[in-house]
Amino acid sequence: MRQNAAVSIVASSVRAALPFTNADIEQGLATRFEAVVDHQPEGLALTGNGRQWSYAELNAEANRLAYAVRARTNHSAGCVAYLLDVSPEMVIATLGAWKAGQAYLALHPAMPQRAQAEAMTNVAPSLLITNHIFEARARAIAGDACEVLTLESLTGSTPADNPTQTTGPSDAATVFFTSGTTGQAKAVVRSHRAVLHRVWLSTQYEVIQPSDRQSLLTHCSFAVSQADLCGALLLGAAVCVFDVAHSGLPAFREWLIDEGITVLRPPVQLFRRFLATLDAAEVFPRVRLVALGGDVVLPADLDGWKRHFPSPGVLHHRLNTTETTLLTFGEVRHDTVINSETITAGWPVPDKALSVIGDDGQALSVGEVGELVVTSAYLADGYWRQPEATARAFALDPLDARRRVYRTGDLARALPDGRFEFIGRRDHQVKIRGYRVDMREVEAALREVNGVSDVAVVPVTERGEQQLLAFIVPSSGLLFEPSAIRQQAKGLLPEWKVPARFYGLASLPSTLSGKLDRQGLLAHARHEDAQAAERQARAGAPLADEVEAMVAGLFEVQLRLGPVGRAGDFFQLGGDSLTATVLHAELERVTGVRIPLEALLVDATVAGMAVAVRAARASASTTGPRRPPVMIRLRRGGTEPVFFFVHGRSGQAFLSPSSMELLGPEQPVCAFQATGLDWAQLPQMTIACMASEYVRALKHVQPAGPYFLGAACAGACVVTEMANQLRRAGEGVGPLLLFDPPVRWVGDRPWLTRQFLRARVALRKHNPWRRYAKTIRALRDKAKSGRAQLDANDPMALNAAADAAFNFEMARLRHTDWYYDGPVLMLRSARRLARDGPGRRVFSRHLRGDVQWFDVGATHRDVRRGENAIFADRLRDAVTIARQGLAALPSTTTAGE
């Protein structure tokens, strides 16, 4: 329904595109955007996170932010930063900065806090924009240097009309950090003129129209995002935002269809992995253009594109750098024949003169390999407030003072037909997942890891994808522990910069000339990989059955390893969050059954995943009533006390994979689920009976205390009753860990009781009340995303789950006059904290013991999201306090997991 509504809005308001000529380059970005708004105010401009904005609405949102920015920057030109995720708010912040006459510096939430703070120090923005989710992190990295502005603080009284524009084409528009040849990141500045020239190039090649719906998949901290964002909004098209890293590839496939994307602009690595998840028959006929960037395109990529994106669609590939923007362009149609192992970089774009020079600086002939040099008036403007570095890198063209010359550091050669072929990096920079990475920057970070004496990072290409290998010399007297080094590296580097594999060496090998022997390192890696494969094969040989053989085969394909035994762990063998989503999609495709995503975290070995597959198959093939257990063990083993987790209103036993990861690998987890989810069992009608049932199940796992208990949302009423029952029986209970309980405890209100009973009657008559329909939609969304063990296409299962949810609500309404006087750790969203914080005592009036509050996000949805950096930090703090409280209690426990 959402897609159809959005399409109808576009169709009713689309008019001829506002012309964009070469002369339109000489203006400010905000001026051009406002011209588009005036031309088509009702046209669809932005979608994301289930919302959409017309051009007039988006302009008003950006204007409100612009006035707030101007008020805090004294109307002086400069730079503001923002810390936001891949979301519509990121687009609003970008436009708001430009309308306020400021350049913007985008900070990726996945960057380590230290790297964010260094970027703030280097650029010294006058303001940091964020939202409630990242507010605590923003204030930490801003310190006393600049003010922090949250988007939620903007009010309706803020003006929404266009502010007066003072910026011109030569003013700074963006600041991007890129790896430099010294291993230190540098802040590259682009002017409004350079950005608008890239938009003009879109009119030459991509012919963007107001009817187009263009994807924005990349965070605005990366320079490639500008073509996605400005190429849509400054030409009248809709920009559609989607966070693939957060939602996963299966959800991306559904979004691509539901959103009606016509221009898809993914990084090459993302596109490659997306193609690997598709069935042979899946096609996307509405996508007229796939524009790839960020890496070299392979013939296999084109084969996949031709298979899934039918004619008359076309594919564009390009070469660009942060300092030069777009350099070359190539187009592939369905009848294009490719005879080489890689795709050429294409032809130079207008206004960019390319040449290839040798080590002596002289131009080389056609076919000779040398360094690629660019001469143009539309390069980046240099490095932020570094005039000397800018002068060295961007030399004036002696033939034309308006143009500058930039040596890219890329190796290339000119072809007889005028195209260029990209060979690779001349220096120590490589492309990992489409991101430019300087290996010396990675080495510098790894040298700060405890126990590392020396390190070398070497790139390797495996099946068309580049990865980093790290060779570590441990400090004297210490053992080489790759898992510990990887864990520390994740705190210093973004995920894409963390090496895929780590190898230990007594010393780094040298050539006869005294230089690092990189070939010797690669030979060592091949030897170690071969031995590891043999160990894995011996550890698990023979595989138990065809299910384990199937899972092992998928491991080998996704991780590009030799034989993997049944003890092989997906994450320990080099898997990451992105490859995990691909593996999950492949398992479901191959088996034909739905497998909960958390199965990867229960046991990520071949044998463990095979157990999950067998269970899913058995569940799918069961014909009679199935009686699910009241408790599911999400993770076995570990040295910490078992964490018993109570479900929320939906009754589903689920703890997000990211939250499981934050609890640590040594934390066993058991989760409860409500009875009655299958209509084969009667549900518990009171909170006390539900708690008694869960305590009995808990005792089977851990006969004696102290106990570590927690709950999601409304499950707080169950877990507090469980704790009371356990304490009355003489058992010790540690601090309860509550994930954003309800705002108020309504008690036995007759009106609400009647409303729930009416909904119950409507359910039985198959004429759902609107609240029940909302519950069904929520459960279906949870099932599709793997957060509920339900078949999203099974109406009986969804109805049963909704019925169980209403039973739980009725039981909660009857649960009155209770209290709990033990310690509580409460992870609270800002919205609920404001209504139930200290001094309000709405829900918390039932808590008479020590309550510690942790502000973790803006809304209830932000709580339990491991991708929320603030939540991650607060959850770790709360778990540490809970474990300390447990350790202080007398222990009579016999054994847990």
Side-chain angles (χ1 to χ4, degrees):
M1 293 298 294
R2 184 184 66 192
Q3 178 229 337
N4 293 337
V7 170
S8 64
I9 291 173
V10 173
S12 64
S13 59
V14 162
R15 62 180 69 185
L18 183 67
F20 191 100
T21 66
N22 195 272
D24 292 310
I25 296 172
E26 297 298 320
Q27 61 181 317
L29 288 158
T31 302
R32 171 63 190 188
F33 176 70
E34 290 168 3
V36 177
V37 173
D38 292 339
H39 182 71
Q40 51 180 71
E42 300 305 318
L44 183 64
L46 174 66
T47 72
N49 292 344
R51 296 184 60 194
Q52 61 183 26
W53 290 258
S54 68
Y55 269 90
E57 292 168 339
L58 178 58
N59 188 54
E61 291 275 3
N63 286 340
R64 293 188 185 96
L65 178 58
Y67 280 109
V69 171
R70 282 192 170 183
R72 290 162 175 81
T73 56
N74 297 320
H75 294 253
S76 59
C79 179
V80 297
Y82 62 75
L83 177 62
L84 298 163
D85 54 7
V86 179
S87 62
E89 288 73 22
M90 180 179 70
V91 177
I92 294 170
T94 299
L95 292 172
W98 286 338
K99 281 174 165 283
Q102 303 284 322
Y104 77 83
L105 165 68
L107 299 175
H108 199 304
M111 292 172 64
Q113 183 170 337
R114 189 187 69 173
Q116 293 170 341
E118 289 177 353
M120 291 286 290
T121 300
N122 290 339
V123 176
S126 54
L127 180 69
L128 177 56
I129 302 167
T130 188
N131 56 22
H132 280 335
I133 297 176
F134 304 111
E135 182 177 4
R137 171 69 69 88
R139 296 194 183 280
I141 63 177
D144 299 328
C146 73
E147 185 179 352
V148 174
L149 170 66
T150 59
L151 294 175
E152 291 84 355
S153 66
L154 301 179
T155 64
S157 61
T158 307
D161 57 310
N162 291 332
T164 303
Q165 292 303 318
T166 59
T167 54
S170 299
D171 291 321
T174 63
V175 180
F176 296 114
F177 271 88
T178 182
S179 297
T181 56
T182 63
Q184 296 294 321
K186 294 185 294 186
V188 178
V189 183
R190 286 185 183 174
S191 66
H192 290 251
R193 178 184 291 111
V195 178
L196 287 167
H197 184 264
R198 177 62 183 89
V199 175
W200 177 73
L201 290 175
S202 291
T203 67
Q204 305 301 297
Y205 295 115
E206 295 151 353
V207 196
I208 302 298
Q209 297 295 322
S211 58
D212 277 318
R213 300 167 69 89
Q214 182 166 286
S215 68
L216 176 59
L217 310 175
T218 308
H219 194 271
C220 283
S221 58
F222 299 107
V224 70
S225 65
Q226 277 194 340
D228 308 354
L229 178 63
C230 299
L233 292 181
L234 301 188
L235 296 175
V239 59
C240 305
V241 184
F242 187 80
D243 189 347
V244 181
H246 177 257
S247 301
L249 289 172
F252 176 56
R253 178 173 59 237
E254 296 178 6
W255 173 84
L256 191 60
I257 298 172
D258 294 342
E259 200 68 25
I261 298 299
T262 60
V263 179
L264 179 63
R265 307 180 72 100
V268 172
Q269 299 290 349
L270 172 61
F271 186 67
R272 192 173 291 157
R273 295 188 179 192
F274 173 60
L275 292 177
T277 68
L278 300 178
D279 293 329
E282 288 188 86
V283 293
F284 303 91
R286 295 194 64 178
V287 179
R288 69 171 183 84
L289 169 63
V290 174
L292 300 178
D295 213 336
V296 176
V297 179
L298 303 176
D301 303 326
L302 300 186
D303 292 340
W305 166 74
K306 290 180 179 181
R307 185 161 54 248
H308 299 291
F309 296 85
S311 182
V314 296
L315 180 142
H316 290 174
H317 57 92
R318 58 197 189 273
L319 173 65
N320 50 265
T321 70
T322 305
E323 289 87 350
T324 63
T325 69
L326 186 63
L327 290 179
T328 63
F329 167 84
E331 181 175 277
V332 178
R333 298 183 177 274
H334 276 259
D335 57 357
T336 302
V337 178
I338 304 297
N339 296 318
S340 61
E341 295 182 359
T342 59
I343 312 303
T344 64
W347 286 269
V349 299
D351 301 328
K352 301 284 177 71
L354 304 186
S355 60
V356 177
I357 64 173
D359 293 337
D360 57 0
Q362 298 300 311
L364 299 178
S365 303
V366 171
E368 293 184 294
V369 175
E371 184 179 7
L372 185 65
V373 176
V374 188
T375 302
S376 175
Y378 300 102
L379 304 178
D381 285 46
Y383 302 111
W384 181 257
R385 294 173 179 169
Q386 296 184 53
E388 294 181 357
T390 298
R392 287 194 302 269
F394 298 88
L396 289 177
D397 180 9
L399 301 179
D400 187 343
R402 297 172 301 173
R403 304 196 307 175
R404 283 167 298 161
V405 181
Y406 179 76
R407 297 178 61 159
T408 65
D410 294 325
L411 294 177
R413 62 176 161 224
L415 301 179
D417 61 0
R419 293 180 297 170
F420 282 78
E421 184 177 1
F422 177 74
I423 307 300
R425 303 298 306 170
R426 181 174 182 173
D427 50 25
H428 291 76
Q429 296 177 357
V430 293
K431 287 289 186 72
I432 304 294
R433 299 191 199 172
Y435 302 132
R436 185 174 172 180
V437 177
D438 190 302
M439 290 178 287
R440 283 166 292 188
E441 184 181 355
V442 179
E443 291 172 350
L446 292 177
R447 288 191 180 95
E448 297 185 22
V449 171
N450 295 332
V452 174
S453 172
D454 201 0
V455 60
V457 175
V458 178
V460 61
T461 301
E462 297 178 347
R463 297 191 181 183
E465 294 187 12
Q466 283 195 309
Q467 295 180 330
L468 296 181
L469 307 182
F471 298 87
I472 305 294
V473 178
S475 299
S476 178
L478 296 181
L479 294 175
F480 171 62
E481 298 181 350
S483 59
I485 294 173
R486 178 186 297 277
Q487 190 63 32
Q488 292 187 64
K490 288 182 177 179
L492 299 172
L493 295 164
E495 183 184 6
W496 58 87
K497 292 185 180 181
V498 177
R501 295 193 293 280
F502 293 79
Y503 303 89
L505 289 168
S507 62
L508 298 178
S510 300
T511 63
L512 293 177
S513 62
K515 296 181 179 180
L516 179 68
D517 185 2
R518 298 184 180 275
Q519 293 302 317
L521 290 175
L522 293 175
H524 175 79
R526 288 191 293 270
H527 176 71
E528 288 290 320
D529 291 344
Q531 287 194 332
E534 292 177 6
R535 288 194 299 269
Q536 283 286 345
R538 288 196 300 269
L543 295 169
D545 54 21
E546 75 282 354
V547 178
E548 289 189 359
M550 179 268 294
V551 175
L554 291 178
F555 273 40
E556 293 164 11
V557 171
Q558 296 301 325
L559 301 177
R560 296 171 173 81
L561 297 175
V564 177
R566 64 194 312 266
D569 185 284
F570 182 78
F571 295 107
Q572 292 181 2
L573 292 173
D576 54 35
S577 58
L578 185 56
T579 51
T581 61
V582 178
L583 176 69
H584 179 237
E586 277 295 283
L587 280 171
E588 291 191 343
R589 184 185 65 81
V590 172
T591 60
V593 296
R594 190 163 192 85
I595 302 170
L597 182 60
E598 63 267 23
L600 277 174
L601 296 176
V602 174
D603 187 348
T605 64
V606 169
M609 284 302 300
V611 170
V613 171
R614 296 189 198 98
R617 283 179 170 175
S619 175
S621 62
T622 301
T623 55
R626 180 171 60 90
R627 297 179 180 271
V630 74
M631 185 175 67
I632 296 176
R633 302 187 184 191
L634 296 183
R635 181 189 285 155
R636 300 173 182 268
T639 58
E640 300 291 348
V642 183
F643 180 45
F644 295 96
F645 189 69
V646 178
H647 56 79
R649 177 174 175 265
S650 67
Q652 297 288 323
F654 180 78
L655 188 60
S656 68
S658 52
S659 296
M660 291 275 288
E661 183 178 353
L662 292 171
L663 291 174
E666 296 299 320
Q667 178 65 71
V669 179
C670 292
F672 298 98
Q673 62 182 0
T675 55
L677 290 174
D678 56 355
W679 273 346
Q681 294 173 284
L682 290 175
Q684 296 291 355
M685 302 305 294
T686 68
I687 295 298
C689 290
M690 189 178 296
S692 297
E693 183 180 34
Y694 293 172
V695 166
R696 287 194 297 272
L698 170 150
K699 288 282 188 178
H700 283 291
V701 174
Q702 184 177 319
Y707 293 100
F708 184 14
L709 306 178
C713 191
C717 63
V718 181
V719 80
T720 49
E721 176 62 24
M722 291 173 63
N724 281 331
Q725 292 182 13
L726 288 167
R727 295 173 74 191
R728 286 195 293 267
E731 299 287 1
V733 178
L736 302 184
L737 187 58
L738 304 185
F739 290 73
D740 213 26
V743 174
R744 59 178 60 88
W745 220 251
V746 292
D748 188 15
R749 292 187 177 182
W751 180 82
L752 276 174
T753 302
R754 287 196 301 272
Q755 292 292 76
F756 278 107
L757 289 174
R758 285 178 54 198
R760 208 54 179 291
V761 172
L763 167 64
R764 298 303 186 190
K765 290 183 177 180
H766 305 288
N767 182 23
W769 184 48
R770 62 182 181 180
R771 186 176 178 91
Y772 170 70
K774 181 179 178 181
T775 302
I776 287 288
R777 289 195 299 271
L779 288 167
R780 183 179 289 112
D781 291 342
K782 287 186 175 183
K784 287 182 177 180
S785 64
R787 294 180 290 125
Q789 298 183 9
L790 291 170
D791 185 348
N793 299 314
D794 184 350
M796 288 289 288
L798 290 171
N799 286 337
D803 199 15
F806 274 88
N807 278 319
F808 182 40
E809 284 292 282
M810 291 293 293
R812 188 168 73 87
L813 287 172
R814 299 188 187 100
H815 192 59
T816 59
D817 299 326
W818 65 276
Y819 72 90
Y820 182 69
D821 59 8
V824 171
L825 306 170
M826 191 159 335
L827 301 167
R828 217 48 163 142
S829 65
R831 183 171 298 172
R832 289 189 172 181
L833 184 63
R835 299 169 65 184
D836 188 37
R840 298 300 298 272
R841 314 296 287 177
V842 180
F843 165 76
S844 53
R845 67 184 175 86
H846 298 277
L847 306 177
R848 302 180 182 179
D850 179 29
V851 180
Q852 295 189 53
W853 305 78
F854 298 86
D855 187 357
V856 296
T859 65
H860 185 61
R861 180 178 177 272
D862 298 325
V863 183
R864 298 172 62 199
R865 283 182 58 205
E867 297 80 5
N868 176 355
I870 306 303
F871 168 72
D873 291 341
R874 299 297 183 271
L875 178 58
R876 292 191 188 98
D877 293 342
V879 170
T880 299
I881 296 172
R883 288 170 179 165
Q884 291 171 349
L886 282 169
L889 294 172
S891 177
T892 58
T893 184
T894 54
E897 292 285 281

